[in-house]
Amino acid sequence: MLGALGIGGPSVDTVLAVPSVEPGQLLAGEVRVQGGDHEVEIQYIALGLVTRVEVEHSEGEHTGTTEFARLDVSGPFRLAAGENRVVPFQFPVPFEAPITEFYGQHLHGMSLGVRTELAVAKAVDKGDLDQVSIRPLPSQTRVLEAFGQLGFQFRKADLEVGRLAGVVQQLPFFQEIEFYPPPAYAGRINEVELTFVASPHGLEIILEADKRGGMFGGGGDSFARFQVSHDQALHMDWANEIRTWLDGLISRHGQAPGYASHDPYASPGHHDPYGQAPHGQPGPYGQPGAYGHPGSHGHHDPHHHGSHHGSSGPGVGGMVVAGAAGVAAGFVAAEIIDEVGDFLEGDDEE
């Protein structure tokens, strides 16, 4: 009877070899199972990567947790009373996994962990949860460093359920890393949001600028999209790309929100569905893009979720950042989450 109630049953502990990885890498470790007071039949052991997401609906916004990757590490086996069983694993981390740290500093607003499931007699124990940190890829690091070079201030990061138009996504959500603009753009731009959609072959980078109204025009959001290989991202001048895009927005007083597209894979004469100018010809800012690949502007919002971002003032993470060291300092949160379990308390399962 006690065994049926789970009393004196087995316990499980997952130990990670290294709790910090990059997207696309293997998260290695082992699951340690300790037998209880009696012999049991283990049905399976599985691991899941879980994180906190925001879901928008007609009544507002809801925050919950979701599992976005899963790995079965063991099938059925018999566990004797008091027996110790160690099951090693290598968990592939999706390339689209959200970034949770930069230069060793936690990104405020992000929470991610690996959850262990141990199934015994049709009862699933999801009690073991271990924090995992996701570092940016080198290509993503170059873009993040550019924001620091330009003097942006990190605000927060979050995950929103939804799909980006024209972007191939494997996960049902995307990450938004939000920055306050540097003084040069104060009063004209509320904030800039950065979204990465990575794959083994390249990187999609989507920028969203929340423009102020008034003397700047009608306000609203403007977008820029870059499609580059990981190697190309390492050699591009991202500070100049971002500055050129923002300067172009400011120079177009009163025009509708624009969507700039930079596609280094485009062949001569190619036009992409976002209205890209022919190869080597001037883009909307009067100059070709990096390596002679121009951008162009349209009126396309890549965010299917339809979120609206209002103006926002200084808050958590509002440090002036400059260069790699500065932008890392800007990512220091007011409160670092000590236990991943904290972000699951009170949240509904998705």
Side-chain angles (χ1 to χ4, degrees):
M1 182 184 298
L2 293 178
L5 294 174
I7 300 174
S11 61
V12 62
D13 180 34
T14 297
V15 179
L16 302 176
V18 179
S20 178
V21 294
E22 294 178 8
Q25 291 185 342
L26 294 173
L27 182 65
E30 57 186 30
V31 179
R32 302 172 181 175
V33 184
Q34 171 69 51
D37 298 338
H38 49 275
E39 184 181 84
V40 295
E41 291 285 345
I42 304 295
Q43 293 177 306
Y44 68 85
I45 301 175
L47 300 176
L49 287 175
V50 296
T51 188
R52 182 170 56 196
V53 297
E54 295 181 359
V55 183
E56 295 187 356
H57 47 79
S58 59
E59 298 179 357
E61 198 170 69
H62 165 76
T63 300
T65 59
T66 188
E67 179 181 282
F68 64 93
R70 186 176 180 85
L71 176 70
D72 293 327
V73 298
S74 175
F77 65 91
R78 184 179 296 273
L79 183 70
E83 178 186 355
N84 291 316
R85 181 74 66 98
V86 176
V87 184
F89 66 84
Q90 289 186 320
F91 198 153
V93 177
F95 269 89
E96 292 181 23
I99 298 166
T100 67
E101 73 166 57
F102 186 54
Y103 281 103
Q105 301 294 340
H106 176 79
L107 267 64
H108 178 57
M110 298 306 304
S111 299
L112 191 147
V114 58
R115 180 169 58 191
T116 306
E117 292 184 7
L118 179 69
V120 181
K122 299 182 180 180
V124 179
D125 177 11
K126 297 184 179 182
D128 193 38
L129 186 68
D130 298 273
Q131 183 172 358
V132 176
S133 294
I134 307 296
R135 307 185 306 269
L137 294 162
S139 54
Q140 296 170 324
T141 296
R142 289 280 294 147
V143 180
L144 290 167
E145 288 176 341
F147 277 89
Q149 295 165 10
L150 293 172
F152 279 83
Q153 303 171 6
F154 173 73
R155 183 189 177 200
K156 68 181 181 69
D158 59 28
L159 300 177
E160 297 204 18
V161 173
R163 296 284 177 175
L164 299 166
V167 178
V168 178
Q169 284 177 246
Q170 302 300 319
L171 299 182
F173 57 78
F174 55 90
Q175 183 179 33
E176 292 182 334
I177 304 174
E178 302 177 12
F179 297 90
Y180 292 121
Y185 302 102
R188 292 179 287 187
I189 294 177
N190 290 323
E191 65 182 21
V192 174
E193 296 179 351
L194 166 65
T195 294
F196 292 118
V197 181
S199 73
H201 310 292
L203 190 64
E204 296 246 17
I205 301 158
I206 297 171
L207 303 177
E208 177 181 354
D210 181 11
K211 300 185 300 182
R212 291 185 184 273
M215 61 176 292
F216 185 61
D221 295 341
S222 291
F223 302 87
R225 175 186 175 191
F226 299 83
Q227 295 175 295
V228 295
S229 69
H230 292 292
D231 183 66
Q232 287 169 323
L234 294 176
H235 298 93
M236 288 178 64
D237 185 351
W238 287 107
N240 182 65
E241 293 286 344
I242 297 169
R243 184 191 305 111
T244 300
W245 170 59
L246 291 175
D247 289 346
L249 296 182
I250 293 175
S251 67
R252 297 198 298 272
H253 292 283
Q255 291 193 17
Y259 190 103
S261 178
H262 175 89
D263 185 359
Y265 301 124
S267 58
H270 168 78
H271 292 262
D272 74 11
Y274 301 103
Q276 181 177 2
H279 177 87
Q281 293 185 12
Y285 314 130
Q287 297 179 2
Y291 310 113
H293 300 284
S296 67
H297 60 86
H299 308 110
H300 184 83
D301 183 345
H303 296 89
H304 275 178
H305 63 290
S307 63
H308 174 75
H309 306 279
S311 61
S312 48
V316 174
M319 301 181 181
V320 175
V321 292
V327 73
F331 284 129
V332 179
E335 290 184 35
I336 302 297
I337 297 178
D338 296 322
E339 298 289 341
V340 178
D342 292 348
F343 80 80
L344 292 175
E345 294 181 1
D347 286 339
D348 296 330
E349 289 288 334
E350 291 298 320

